[in-house]
C-alpha cells in the first residue's frame, strides 16, 4: 500500500513538472504560440560505415597486398 501511494505521488509530481516546463499558455487553450521554424541541418555526405564497404580502403588493401607479395592474393 505505501508503495502505491509513493507511485501516485511520483506520477502527480512528474505531471506538474511537465506542465511547468511547458510554459504559460500551453495547457490546452487555442492561444498557443507557434514554434519558430527550424531550418534543416545540412546533410553530411554519405560515407561507408564499415571498412569493407569503402572502395578506397579495399583499393589500398589490394595495393598493399600486391606490393608485399609481388603477386595478387
Amino acid at each position: 500500500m505505501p508503495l502505491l501511494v509513493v507511485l501516485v505521488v511520483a506520477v502527480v509530481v512528474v505531471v506538474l513538472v511537465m506542465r511547468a516546463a511547458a510554459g504559460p499558455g500551453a495547457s490546452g487553450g487555442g492561444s498557443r504560440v507557434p514554434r519558430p521554424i527550424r531550418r534543416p541541418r545540412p546533410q553530411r555526405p554519405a560515407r561507408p560505415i564499415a571498412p569493407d564497404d569503402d572502395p578506397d580502403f579495399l583499393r589500398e588493401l589490394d595495393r598493399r597486398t600486391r606490393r608485399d607479395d609481388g603477386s595478387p592474393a
Side-chain angles (χ1 to χ4, degrees):
M1 183 69 178
L3 182 62
L4 183 62
V5 172
V6 170
L7 183 63
V8 170
V9 170
V11 169
V12 170
V13 168
V14 167
V15 169
L16 291 175
V17 168
M18 294 286 286
R19 283 193 177 184
S27 60
S31 62
R32 294 183 67 169
V33 178
R35 291 184 175 178
I37 298 173
R38 290 186 180 181
R39 293 185 302 189
R41 293 184 186 177
Q43 294 293 328
R44 294 181 185 171
R47 292 183 44 192
I49 296 175
D52 59 344
D53 293 338
D54 187 359
D56 293 331
F57 174 78
L58 294 174
R59 193 175 304 113
E60 177 66 20
L61 190 62
D62 188 42
R63 186 184 64 80
R64 286 183 185 177
T65 303
R66 288 176 190 254
R67 185 182 61 194
D68 292 342
D69 288 352
S71 64

